[in-house]
Short mmCIF file of all heavy atoms in Angstrom, two decimals:
data_model
loop_
_atom_site.label_atom_id
_atom_site.label_comp_id
_atom_site.label_asym_id
_atom_site.label_seq_id
_atom_site.Cartn_x
_atom_site.Cartn_y
_atom_site.Cartn_z
N ALA A 368 183.61 99.07 24.63
CA ALA A 368 184.61 98.05 25.04
C ALA A 368 183.98 97.00 25.94
O ALA A 368 184.69 96.13 26.46
CB ALA A 368 185.76 98.73 25.75
N GLY A 369 182.67 97.09 26.16
CA GLY A 369 181.99 96.10 27.00
C GLY A 369 182.14 96.37 28.48
O GLY A 369 181.94 95.48 29.31
N ILE A 370 182.48 97.60 28.82
CA ILE A 370 182.63 97.96 30.24
C ILE A 370 181.35 98.64 30.71
O ILE A 370 180.96 99.67 30.16
CB ILE A 370 183.84 98.91 30.44
CG1 ILE A 370 185.13 98.22 29.96
CG2 ILE A 370 183.94 99.36 31.89
CD1 ILE A 370 186.35 99.12 29.93
N PRO A 371 180.67 98.07 31.73
CA PRO A 371 179.43 98.69 32.21
C PRO A 371 179.70 100.06 32.87
O PRO A 371 180.68 100.20 33.60
CB PRO A 371 178.89 97.70 33.25
CG PRO A 371 179.64 96.43 33.01
CD PRO A 371 180.97 96.83 32.45
N VAL A 372 178.80 101.00 32.58
CA VAL A 372 178.98 102.36 33.11
C VAL A 372 177.78 102.77 33.96
O VAL A 372 176.63 102.64 33.55
CB VAL A 372 179.15 103.39 31.95
CG1 VAL A 372 179.20 104.82 32.48
CG2 VAL A 372 180.41 103.10 31.14
N MET A 373 178.10 103.29 35.15
CA MET A 373 177.10 103.93 36.02
C MET A 373 177.29 105.44 35.87
O MET A 373 178.42 105.92 35.93
CB MET A 373 177.33 103.49 37.47
CG MET A 373 176.40 104.12 38.48
SD MET A 373 176.76 103.53 40.17
CE MET A 373 175.68 102.11 40.26
N GLY A 374 176.19 106.17 35.65
CA GLY A 374 176.27 107.63 35.55
C GLY A 374 176.19 108.27 36.93
O GLY A 374 175.94 107.60 37.94
N HIS A 375 176.41 109.58 36.97
CA HIS A 375 176.32 110.32 38.25
C HIS A 375 175.91 111.75 37.91
O HIS A 375 176.67 112.48 37.26
CB HIS A 375 177.68 110.28 38.96
CG HIS A 375 177.69 110.92 40.31
ND1 HIS A 375 178.53 110.51 41.33
CD2 HIS A 375 176.98 111.96 40.85
CE1 HIS A 375 178.33 111.23 42.41
NE2 HIS A 375 177.40 112.14 42.14
N LEU A 376 174.69 112.13 38.33
CA LEU A 376 174.15 113.46 38.02
C LEU A 376 173.74 114.17 39.31
O LEU A 376 173.75 113.59 40.39
CB LEU A 376 172.93 113.33 37.10
CG LEU A 376 173.16 112.68 35.73
CD1 LEU A 376 171.83 112.43 35.01
CD2 LEU A 376 174.07 113.56 34.85
N GLY A 377 173.30 115.44 39.16
CA GLY A 377 172.96 116.24 40.32
C GLY A 377 174.22 116.91 40.83
O GLY A 377 174.98 117.49 40.05
N LEU A 378 174.46 116.79 42.13
CA LEU A 378 175.72 117.31 42.67
C LEU A 378 176.86 116.40 42.22
O LEU A 378 176.85 115.20 42.50
CB LEU A 378 175.66 117.36 44.20
CG LEU A 378 176.96 117.74 44.91
CD1 LEU A 378 177.38 119.17 44.58
CD2 LEU A 378 176.81 117.60 46.41
N THR A 379 177.79 116.98 41.48
CA THR A 379 178.93 116.19 40.98
C THR A 379 180.20 116.80 41.59
O THR A 379 180.71 117.81 41.10
CB THR A 379 178.96 116.22 39.43
OG1 THR A 379 178.78 117.58 39.00
CG2 THR A 379 177.88 115.36 38.83
N PRO A 380 180.69 116.18 42.68
CA PRO A 380 181.78 116.83 43.45
C PRO A 380 183.05 117.11 42.65
O PRO A 380 183.82 117.99 43.02
CB PRO A 380 182.04 115.83 44.58
CG PRO A 380 180.75 115.08 44.73
CD PRO A 380 180.19 114.97 43.34
N GLN A 381 183.28 116.38 41.54
CA GLN A 381 184.48 116.68 40.75
C GLN A 381 184.40 118.06 40.08
O GLN A 381 185.40 118.58 39.61
CB GLN A 381 184.71 115.59 39.70
CG GLN A 381 185.14 114.25 40.31
CD GLN A 381 185.37 113.16 39.26
OE1 GLN A 381 185.43 113.44 38.06
NE2 GLN A 381 185.49 111.93 39.72
N SER A 382 183.15 118.63 39.99
CA SER A 382 182.98 119.96 39.38
C SER A 382 182.79 121.03 40.44
O SER A 382 182.19 122.08 40.16
CB SER A 382 181.75 119.98 38.46
OG SER A 382 181.74 118.87 37.62
N ILE A 383 183.26 120.79 41.64
CA ILE A 383 183.01 121.72 42.75
C ILE A 383 183.48 123.14 42.43
O ILE A 383 182.83 124.12 42.79
CB ILE A 383 183.61 121.21 44.09
CG1 ILE A 383 183.31 122.19 45.24
CG2 ILE A 383 185.08 120.91 44.00
CD1 ILE A 383 181.88 122.44 45.51
N TYR A 384 184.59 123.28 41.70
CA TYR A 384 185.11 124.63 41.43
C TYR A 384 184.29 125.34 40.35
O TYR A 384 184.35 126.55 40.25
CB TYR A 384 186.59 124.58 41.08
CG TYR A 384 187.43 124.19 42.30
CD1 TYR A 384 188.13 122.99 42.33
CD2 TYR A 384 187.45 125.01 43.43
CE1 TYR A 384 188.86 122.63 43.46
CE2 TYR A 384 188.17 124.65 44.56
CZ TYR A 384 188.88 123.46 44.57
OH TYR A 384 189.57 123.10 45.69
N LYS A 385 183.50 124.57 39.58
CA LYS A 385 182.60 125.20 38.60
C LYS A 385 181.38 125.75 39.34
O LYS A 385 180.91 126.85 39.07
CB LYS A 385 182.19 124.15 37.57
CG LYS A 385 181.20 124.66 36.54
CD LYS A 385 180.94 123.59 35.50
CE LYS A 385 179.70 123.90 34.70
NZ LYS A 385 179.24 122.74 33.96
N PHE A 386 180.84 124.95 40.28
CA PHE A 386 179.59 125.34 40.96
C PHE A 386 179.86 126.18 42.21
O PHE A 386 179.01 126.98 42.61
CB PHE A 386 178.76 124.10 41.31
CG PHE A 386 178.26 123.40 40.08
CD1 PHE A 386 178.82 122.21 39.65
CD2 PHE A 386 177.22 123.96 39.34
CE1 PHE A 386 178.36 121.58 38.50
CE2 PHE A 386 176.75 123.33 38.20
CZ PHE A 386 177.33 122.14 37.78
N GLY A 387 180.99 125.96 42.84
CA GLY A 387 181.36 126.79 43.98
C GLY A 387 180.79 126.36 45.32
O GLY A 387 181.26 126.81 46.36
N THR A 388 179.74 125.50 45.32
CA THR A 388 179.16 125.06 46.60
C THR A 388 178.68 123.61 46.48
O THR A 388 178.48 123.11 45.37
CB THR A 388 177.92 125.89 47.01
OG1 THR A 388 176.79 125.36 46.34
CG2 THR A 388 178.06 127.35 46.71
N TYR A 389 178.46 123.02 47.66
CA TYR A 389 177.93 121.65 47.71
C TYR A 389 176.42 121.67 47.98
O TYR A 389 175.87 120.72 48.50
CB TYR A 389 178.65 120.84 48.80
CG TYR A 389 180.08 120.45 48.44
CD1 TYR A 389 181.16 121.13 48.99
CD2 TYR A 389 180.34 119.41 47.55
CE1 TYR A 389 182.47 120.77 48.67
CE2 TYR A 389 181.65 119.05 47.23
CZ TYR A 389 182.70 119.73 47.79
OH TYR A 389 184.00 119.38 47.46
N THR A 390 175.73 122.76 47.62
CA THR A 390 174.29 122.85 47.94
C THR A 390 173.46 122.01 46.96
O THR A 390 173.95 121.53 45.94
CB THR A 390 173.78 124.31 47.86
OG1 THR A 390 174.16 124.82 46.60
CG2 THR A 390 174.34 125.16 48.99
N VAL A 391 172.16 121.90 47.32
CA VAL A 391 171.21 121.10 46.53
C VAL A 391 171.16 121.58 45.08
O VAL A 391 171.13 122.79 44.81
CB VAL A 391 169.80 121.22 47.17
CG1 VAL A 391 168.78 120.42 46.37
CG2 VAL A 391 169.83 120.77 48.61
N ARG A 392 171.15 120.64 44.13
CA ARG A 392 171.13 120.96 42.70
C ARG A 392 169.72 120.79 42.13
O ARG A 392 168.87 120.14 42.74
CB ARG A 392 172.08 120.05 41.92
CG ARG A 392 173.53 120.25 42.25
CD ARG A 392 174.06 121.60 41.73
NE ARG A 392 174.97 122.22 42.67
CZ ARG A 392 176.24 121.88 42.85
NH1 ARG A 392 176.78 120.95 42.14
NH2 ARG A 392 176.98 122.51 43.74
N ALA A 393 169.51 121.36 40.93
CA ALA A 393 168.27 121.22 40.16
C ALA A 393 167.05 121.79 40.89
O ALA A 393 165.95 121.30 40.75
CB ALA A 393 168.03 119.76 39.78
N LYS A 394 167.28 122.86 41.68
CA LYS A 394 166.14 123.53 42.31
C LYS A 394 165.46 124.46 41.31
O LYS A 394 164.26 124.66 41.34
CB LYS A 394 166.62 124.35 43.51
CG LYS A 394 166.71 123.51 44.80
CD LYS A 394 167.52 124.17 45.85
CE LYS A 394 166.74 124.88 46.92
NZ LYS A 394 167.67 125.45 47.94
N GLU A 395 166.25 125.03 40.41
CA GLU A 395 165.70 125.90 39.37
C GLU A 395 165.22 125.05 38.20
O GLU A 395 165.80 124.00 37.91
CB GLU A 395 166.77 126.89 38.85
CG GLU A 395 167.48 127.69 39.91
CD GLU A 395 166.52 128.54 40.73
OE1 GLU A 395 165.48 128.98 40.18
OE2 GLU A 395 166.78 128.73 41.93
N GLU A 396 164.18 125.55 37.51
CA GLU A 396 163.55 124.75 36.45
C GLU A 396 164.53 124.36 35.34
O GLU A 396 164.55 123.21 34.90
CB GLU A 396 162.37 125.53 35.86
CG GLU A 396 161.42 124.58 35.16
CD GLU A 396 160.29 125.31 34.47
OE1 GLU A 396 159.98 126.44 34.90
OE2 GLU A 396 159.75 124.75 33.50
N GLN A 397 165.35 125.33 34.92
CA GLN A 397 166.29 125.06 33.82
C GLN A 397 167.22 123.89 34.15
O GLN A 397 167.48 123.02 33.33
CB GLN A 397 167.14 126.31 33.54
CG GLN A 397 166.55 127.24 32.50
CD GLN A 397 166.05 126.49 31.27
OE1 GLN A 397 164.83 126.29 31.11
NE2 GLN A 397 166.97 126.05 30.40
N GLU A 398 167.70 123.91 35.40
CA GLU A 398 168.64 122.86 35.83
C GLU A 398 167.91 121.52 35.95
O GLU A 398 168.47 120.47 35.64
CB GLU A 398 169.28 123.27 37.16
CG GLU A 398 170.69 122.72 37.29
CD GLU A 398 171.31 122.96 38.67
OE1 GLU A 398 170.92 123.92 39.36
OE2 GLU A 398 172.18 122.15 39.06
N ALA A 399 166.63 121.59 36.39
CA ALA A 399 165.84 120.35 36.53
C ALA A 399 165.58 119.75 35.16
O ALA A 399 165.64 118.52 34.97
CB ALA A 399 164.54 120.64 37.26
N ILE A 400 165.33 120.60 34.16
CA ILE A 400 165.10 120.11 32.78
C ILE A 400 166.36 119.44 32.25
O ILE A 400 166.34 118.35 31.68
CB ILE A 400 164.63 121.26 31.85
CG1 ILE A 400 163.24 121.74 32.29
CG2 ILE A 400 164.63 120.84 30.38
CD1 ILE A 400 162.77 123.03 31.63
N LYS A 401 167.49 120.12 32.46
CA LYS A 401 168.78 119.56 31.99
C LYS A 401 169.05 118.22 32.67
O LYS A 401 169.52 117.26 32.05
CB LYS A 401 169.89 120.59 32.26
CG LYS A 401 171.31 120.05 32.35
CD LYS A 401 172.10 120.31 31.07
CE LYS A 401 173.59 120.00 31.22
NZ LYS A 401 174.02 118.73 30.74
#
Side-chain angles (χ1 to χ4, degrees):
I370 300 172
V372 175
M373 178 180 269
H375 184 150
L376 299 171
L378 174 64
T379 47
Q381 290 180 12
S382 313
I383 181 59
Y384 291 115
K385 177 175 164 195
F386 293 105
T388 83
Y389 287 103
T390 53
V391 180
R392 294 290 141 78
K394 274 164 100 178
E395 307 300 329
E396 201 185 336
Q397 269 314 103
E398 211 187 334
I400 293 169
K401 157 102 170 98

